[in-house]
Amino acid sequence: MNGFLTITDLHAGYGAAKVLHGVSFSVEQGAVCAILGPNGAGKTTLLRALCGMVKVRGTLRLAGTEVTGRAPETMARLGVAHVPEGRGTFAPLTVEENLRLGASSRRDRTGTETDLRRVYDYFPILREKRREAAGGLSGGQQQMLAVGRALMLRPRVLLLDEPSLGLSPLVTQELFGIVHTINQEERTTVIVVEQNAHLALGIAQQAHVLESGRIVLSGTADQIKADEQVTRSYLGIR
Ligand code: ATP
């Protein structure tokens, strides 16, 4: 399979607990790919596998280079940024300290100030709160901080795990709008795991439905939106 990020026959799990059973797909450079599926399907595990956090079997290729089994630090240096579910920002540190940490695993750290400005331009609220502790931010602002921190890596691939979790519809909409802009302006490839299928399919060109560790349906966002089963299960229309 050709593509910027190519996943072939990926198996992953936690010790004896096998979670992914031969997942294959590829994502073009600059595309947004949505991963949908029920709780426990393995969506989080898939993103963890893509950033080197869980052991895998199969093949992962990034920009034509095999990167299977690389450590998370190496994947970060190669430009794969992961925004985990639950955000993972450092509560006692200020907003700006959290953002600067995002650049720390980058090989080339010149341009950090430019990158900070860029993140603040995307998220003006973070500029406003840059000297405040991250722990004091609202849920939406913390999610923005988590995405901003990932951007400090100047990622080629952005992995977003349930970005809408716990956020109000309005804040979620704003966040997805910014992710869409980042994708358009920087050609950052995005893989987004999302319970809110409407939102994810609104910015994605392609989507895959994962069930019990296997892809059961793949297509363009429009095809997936039109699929009756998906509509019933994930789009809340009966
Ligand atoms: P959710 O939307 O509920 O997060 P998901 O599709 O992201 O679901 P995963 O979180 O990848 O699914 O979980 C897939 C399976 O792996 C589940 O059965 C879960 O219990 C198991 N699992 C997840 N994390 C671990 C872990 N650290 N150790 C052992 N099993 C785990």
Side-chain angles (χ1 to χ4, degrees):
M1 253 189 287
N2 290 319
F4 185 60
L5 184 67
T6 304
I7 297 142
T8 312
D9 197 24
L10 195 76
H11 294 252
Y14 307 92
K18 312 282 180 232
V19 176
L20 300 179
H21 309 280
V23 170
S24 302
F25 65 93
S26 88
V27 185
E28 296 301 318
Q29 186 167 21
V32 179
C33 171
I35 308 291
L36 311 175
N39 288 343
K43 305 182 299 296
T44 293
T45 304
L46 174 62
L47 292 194
R48 286 186 186 144
L50 299 185
C51 67
M53 283 172 69
V54 294
K55 271 216 163 86
V56 298
R57 197 155 54 77
T59 313
L60 274 184
R61 297 179 79 82
L62 177 68
T65 304
E66 183 167 353
V67 295
T68 322
R70 301 281 171 91
E73 306 76 52
T74 310
M75 293 306 280
R77 246 182 278 124
L78 290 169
V80 178
H82 181 221
V83 181
E85 199 177 5
R87 295 150 205 162
T89 54
F90 296 100
L93 299 186
T94 66
V95 165
E96 187 149 317
E97 284 165 344
N98 268 282
L99 289 174
R100 287 185 186 280
L101 273 179
S104 62
S105 55
R106 215 166 75 192
R107 192 171 281 151
D108 155 35
R109 283 168 69 181
T110 58
T112 304
E113 302 310 312
T114 313
D115 289 340
L116 256 181
R117 272 199 301 279
R118 184 171 120 260
V119 170
Y120 287 147
D121 288 345
Y122 283 124
F123 301 104
I125 189 70
L126 297 183
R127 177 180 279 123
E128 217 174 279
K129 302 212 171 234
R130 66 187 181 278
R131 295 187 213 293
E132 295 182 24
L137 299 180
S138 71
Q141 292 161 358
Q142 286 193 25
Q143 189 60 273
M144 290 178 189
L145 177 57
V147 175
R149 191 177 60 174
L151 287 184
M152 291 296 290
L153 199 61
R154 282 195 210 156
R156 296 195 285 172
V157 180
L158 192 56
L159 306 175
L160 299 175
D161 198 351
E162 298 277 2
S164 78
L165 204 74
L167 306 188
S168 73
L170 207 66
V171 173
T172 304
Q173 203 111 45
E174 186 188 349
L175 183 66
F176 269 75
I178 298 169
V179 170
H180 180 66
T181 307
I182 292 164
N183 165 257
Q184 297 285 301
E185 289 183 355
E186 317 211 359
R187 286 199 78 219
T188 311
T189 306
V190 178
I191 301 185
V192 57
V193 160
E194 189 43 75
Q195 292 282 334
N196 189 330
H198 269 302
L199 271 175
L201 293 173
I203 64 166
Q205 294 88 39
Q206 58 178 130
H208 304 282
V209 177
L210 197 64
E211 279 180 18
S212 306
R214 291 182 172 84
I215 290 184
V216 294
L217 188 68
S218 297
T220 65
D222 287 338
Q223 285 166 344
I224 299 287
K225 269 188 255 182
D227 185 273
E228 212 173 295
Q229 181 67 35
V230 172
T231 309
R232 225 178 293 121
S233 307
Y234 306 112
L235 295 173
I237 303 162
R238 274 157 214 285

